[in-house]
Amino acid sequence: MAVKFFGQFLVEQGLVSREALISAIELQDQKNLKLGEMAVAMGYITQADIEKAHNAQMSKDMRLGDLLVEMGFLTLTQLNDVITRQKNTHLYIGEALVQIGALTSENLQKHLADFKADQAQYVSDGIALPPGVANSKIWEMTADLTYKMITRVLDLQFRPGKCALTETLAPNFMMAAMDFNGDVEARYLISVSEGLQKTIAKAILREESVDGEPAEVLEDTVMEFVNVVCGNVAAKASQMGVIMNINPPVTIRPPAAGLPVPEGHTALCFPIHIEDGDKMELILLIKK
Amino acid sequence: MKKVLVVDDSLSVARQLEKIISESGDFTCVGHAKNGAEAIKMNHSENPDIICMDMNMPGMDGLTALRTLSVMDKDVKVVMVTSLGGVGDKFTEALKLGAKNVISKPFETDNVLRILREL
């Protein structure tokens, strides 16, 4: 039901052992050269150049490849050659499992097809953001995955509204938030009405009624929904080559006047219209 | 009946897991720890057969606790429960540190019980 990578799917389904997966990953680590290692292997740079670039990385927030170009160790054409060679020679986890004898080639094809069918529910449907938003693919994926989890985890019928930039976060009964850091920095917020909080609690706790549940538990269920969505966003982002770390969720009680968008941030608001009139919004506070 | 300790800072996840475990007929839930440090203490006092532990918790996180438990208690079987299961590096790190499996969130009852029964 969650976003997975192929090795995880195989272990979860009992198709390969955890020991076999670890061995296959160790084989990948040996065979798949990192960018610097590949550039050295192709004769473009020396180990000493890599060390200089690594030292420079301590004071510059740049990827190694871009830094090697900026420092004049690689040309842009050479960098593209290195990246192409990395892609063309990459040993994928399925192939590694075949090489160590944990899977046959025939089984690999069958399990890959099953894996693709399992993950088809998380293929993006496409969402339009206002023009000029950086890393738009990541935020489109984040909104898309949120919609899919509203359907699959909360079992709610809804209609997504048009995404717009906003200067103020509109008031609502409560908000649950989680911070992303890594290659991108942002705060993910879900804002819900009181009725919707109970609906989420019923779905998360798998109970017919949540009357009498303490407020602390009801709030926790919204935080848990945010945690599930953000963890799966981080998983999808890693498949896109983007590192997104998550932090424990928090709750916010917005004042009646709403909350101003913090300085240095862009706020994207995705209205989510629930069928019985309950109010829900996804807000992404993206650090500029 | 095998004894299971649930470790999660989220009350709602702990409730979900405790319900699945206690209704299974094969397992009994011996307690709920809210972070890694509590898990280590309760592993000592409750002596569970299995620990279902969240990865991302305030205070001592799940991977740090897993590292300690793997050294202190070779018999206990730890399964990580996380929304980050699909992040390949996190999944692999958990297995390398000694986790027997990783349950991704959102989880289904059948999948949780299948993984616990295979231990």
Side-chain angles (χ1 to χ4, degrees), chain A residues 1-2 153 204 206 224 228, chain B residues 8 12-14 16-17 20 81-82 103-112:
Chain A
M1 200 172 174
V153 178
I204 296 288
R206 304 174 194 204
E224 178 53 21
V228 168
Chain B
D8 205 306
S12 47
V13 178
Q16 281 181 64
L17 283 171
I20 291 171
V81 183
T82 179
I103 297 169
S104 289
K105 291 195 276 190
F107 48 71
E108 287 140 352
T109 302
D110 291 350
N111 196 36
V112 173

Side-chain angles (χ1 to χ4, degrees), chain B residues 13-105:
Chain B
V13 178
R15 283 262 299 265
Q16 281 181 64
L17 283 171
E18 283 167 3
K19 194 173 176 187
I20 291 171
I21 289 162
S22 54
E23 288 177 358
S24 69
D26 296 334
F27 306 100
T28 180
C29 186
V30 292
H32 167 213
K34 294 192 184 77
N35 58 47
E38 271 188 35
I40 291 165
K41 279 187 201 162
M42 289 184 76
N43 179 57
H44 186 67
S45 61
E46 305 299 328
N47 195 25
D49 301 294
I50 299 168
I51 298 178
C52 290
M53 183 155 63
D54 187 17
M55 256 189 215
N56 185 31
M57 293 181 286
M60 185 190 285
D61 69 12
L63 289 178
T64 307
L66 172 62
R67 198 175 284 120
T68 307
L69 285 164
S70 299
V71 174
M72 287 173 59
D73 185 346
K74 303 281 183 202
D75 295 327
V76 70
K77 295 179 169 72
V78 181
V79 175
M80 303 307 286
V81 183
T82 179
S83 61
L84 287 169
V87 179
D89 291 349
K90 295 279 182 192
F91 182 87
T92 308
E93 189 180 1
L95 293 193
K96 283 184 175 174
L97 287 173
K100 297 298 178 194
N101 212 328
V102 177
I103 297 169
S104 289
K105 291 195 276 190

